[in-house]
Amino acid sequence: NIYIYDKIIKESIVMWEDIYMLSNNTKFNLLLGDNFNKLVSLPTKQVIMRSILSVIDRDFIVSSNNSSLAELVQKLLDKVLNEKQEIVDIISDLFSMENKSDLSFYKEIFDSDMFSSIITTNFDYTLEENFLNLIKINTPFDMNNDESGKIAFYKIYGDYKDKDIDKFVLSSQDIKRIKVLGFYAKFWEKLRIEFNKRATIILGANLEDKEFLDILDFIIAKTNRLQPIYLYAGEEVDRLLTDKDIISFINKYSIEIIKGENKEFIANLKEKFFGEKKTDRLQTTYLYINDEIDKYMADKNITNFINKYSIEIIKGEAKDFIPNLKERFFDEKKSGDALQNFA
């Protein structure tokens, strides 16, 4: 549609907002795995394990080579080599040293407005420290009943900063406790509802971490209306698909693999799920109007809208509409690619 009269600018804003929202109304759960920390310059569980092992007896290190972090911590506790608080202190020191996390990936995730929930098995406090006003936090120990439109943030292993050390899940026994005891059933029920309501995208998963697969299996095995699950991964996933346990897990839940570079994560999701409706497929949007636009630009709502969608203004009289367009797009560019949107 071509509108050349400045009197309908405000009415057009409502229409354009509707078009934009209709093309972006699908939302997902985002499940972040251990390798996501690499993308935001934070310690992974492998780094945490190395830090713990650096202060442990060498013979014990050899016997713990194939352990997960939870298994390693359990062995330390069972052998009374460390108290849980000592291990928590190591983790706390490690994250405090790595305090320059890269927020750009998170910003892109929030700006995309594609996710209703973020679920993680990671320990970091990046979201709490930088995006607290955008999230509502849930852990097995503290549920959030906020009904606002904030993104639900599920921190499965709780908080290492909590004064109550039992509210941080670290050892194999801790994991078993939150799975089995009835105190935590409402947390898992609420989390499973998210998997029932919308599709889930897994990003940064370490598929070789059996602990991660076990906790994910525990969550989704008991969902009764499970929506599709997608694993976003790079080409390295091909190597992992030779592992029968990983293949079995992927097949069990019909997980679809989306291959792509991490830096193109949001763009690739838009390409896959929104297709032709994806608004960033549109070229520049132009507003053709006469000099009276200047008075409208004093209205902050109009200015915000124009800036939001990077609308370029072409000034001209209505009677000169076609000649002005020809001069603007064909005399200079001489191209048939000037397929733009005019308002």
Side-chain angles (χ1 to χ4, degrees):
N1 295 323
I2 299 175
Y3 299 95
I4 60 175
Y5 299 108
D6 57 351
K7 292 182 180 179
I8 61 173
I9 291 177
K10 292 182 179 179
E11 290 84 350
S12 298
I13 287 177
V14 176
M15 179 193 72
W16 280 94
E17 289 280 11
D18 287 344
I19 291 173
Y20 186 82
M21 291 306 295
L22 281 172
S23 63
N24 290 273
N25 60 2
T26 301
K27 292 197 176 185
F28 304 92
N29 304 313
L30 178 62
L31 175 58
L32 302 177
D34 185 40
N35 286 339
F36 181 78
N37 276 1
K38 292 180 181 179
L39 305 181
V40 293
S41 304
L42 288 171
T44 63
K45 288 186 172 65
Q46 287 296 319
V47 173
I48 294 172
M49 288 176 66
R50 286 199 295 270
S51 295
I52 294 172
L53 290 171
S54 68
V55 295
I56 301 299
D57 180 79
R58 187 176 186 83
D59 291 336
F60 182 84
I61 294 175
V62 173
S63 68
S64 302
N65 274 342
N66 297 318
S67 300
S68 68
L69 176 59
E71 291 170 337
L72 170 64
V73 171
Q74 192 63 56
K75 290 178 182 179
L76 291 171
L77 297 178
D78 290 344
K79 293 181 177 293
V80 199
L81 293 176
N82 289 89
E83 296 290 335
K84 184 176 180 180
Q85 185 61 58
E86 293 178 282
I87 302 172
V88 171
D89 290 342
I90 292 174
I91 293 173
S92 180
D93 290 343
L94 187 59
F95 276 103
S96 65
M97 288 187 291
E98 301 286 345
N99 58 1
K100 294 184 179 179
S101 56
D102 182 358
L103 300 180
S104 59
F105 209 122
Y106 272 123
K107 286 178 180 176
E108 189 175 1
I109 287 170
F110 282 107
D111 289 345
S112 73
D113 195 29
M114 291 175 62
F115 304 100
S116 286
S117 74
I118 297 176
I119 305 157
T120 185
T121 56
N122 296 335
F123 299 155
D124 66 280
Y125 263 73
T126 307
L127 292 188
E128 294 96 321
E129 292 175 345
N130 299 280
F131 303 96
L132 187 60
N133 62 317
L134 301 177
I135 60 174
K136 42 192 178 185
I137 305 169
N138 293 274
T139 75
F141 315 98
D142 296 291
M143 301 284 286
N144 192 319
N145 295 317
D146 184 352
E147 296 295 332
S148 71
K150 293 180 180 180
I151 293 178
F153 179 43
Y154 295 89
K155 208 165 185 180
I156 292 176
Y157 290 155
D159 299 324
Y160 72 82
K161 291 186 178 182
D162 200 298
K163 293 180 181 179
D164 184 351
I165 198 171
D166 289 331
K167 289 187 176 182
F168 178 46
V169 177
L170 186 56
S171 68
S172 299
Q173 193 62 36
D174 287 338
I175 295 175
K176 182 178 180 180
R177 172 168 56 94
I178 62 170
K179 283 182 176 181
V180 174
L181 296 184
F183 302 117
Y184 312 111
K186 287 187 177 180
F187 171 79
W188 299 116
E189 180 182 347
K190 186 173 183 179
L191 188 49
R192 289 180 181 118
I193 287 173
E194 303 286 4
F195 282 79
N196 283 332
K197 287 170 64 176
R198 64 187 71 85
T200 299
I201 312 290
I202 302 173
L203 174 65
N206 177 5
L207 297 179
E208 295 175 295
D209 181 0
K210 299 301 187 288
E211 176 190 309
F212 175 80
L213 295 185
D214 286 346
I215 201 76
L216 184 54
D217 184 62
F218 175 75
I219 296 168
I220 62 182
K222 296 182 180 179
T223 55
N224 52 20
R225 296 185 307 277
L226 181 64
Q227 298 303 305
I229 298 178
Y230 302 89
L231 171 67
Y232 189 91
E235 296 294 336
E236 72 278 359
V237 74
D238 293 336
R239 174 183 62 82
L240 301 177
L241 293 179
T242 59
D243 185 308
K244 65 178 183 180
D245 292 331
I246 294 174
I247 290 179
S248 176
F249 183 85
I250 288 174
N251 291 339
K252 179 179 180 179
Y253 296 111
S254 302
I255 296 174
E256 181 179 335
I257 297 173
I258 303 174
K259 287 186 180 180
E261 297 295 324
N262 290 319
K263 63 182 180 180
E264 298 174 345
F265 174 61
I266 296 297
N268 285 339
L269 292 192
K270 287 181 177 180
E271 174 78 20
K272 178 173 179 59
F273 295 107
F274 299 112
E276 295 181 358
K277 294 190 296 182
K278 192 173 69 170
T279 56
D280 64 355
R281 289 260 187 153
L282 299 175
Q283 302 300 310
T284 306
T285 300
Y286 295 90
L287 171 65
Y288 187 92
I289 193 170
N290 61 25
D291 288 335
E292 290 189 7
I293 183 62
D294 295 335
K295 71 179 181 182
Y296 291 113
M297 296 302 287
D299 185 318
K300 67 177 183 179
N301 292 324
I302 294 176
T303 302
N304 289 341
F305 179 84
I306 288 174
N307 292 336
K308 179 178 180 180
Y309 299 110
S310 301
I311 296 173
E312 185 174 332
I313 296 170
I314 302 175
K315 288 185 179 181
E317 296 299 321
K319 62 184 177 64
D320 298 323
F321 177 60
I322 296 300
N324 283 342
L325 294 192
K326 286 182 176 180
E327 180 179 352
R328 175 77 165 78
F329 296 107
F330 298 103
D331 286 352
E332 295 179 6
K333 293 188 178 181
K334 299 294 184 186
S335 169
D337 294 331
L339 298 175
Q340 315 289 345
N341 302 290
F342 297 94

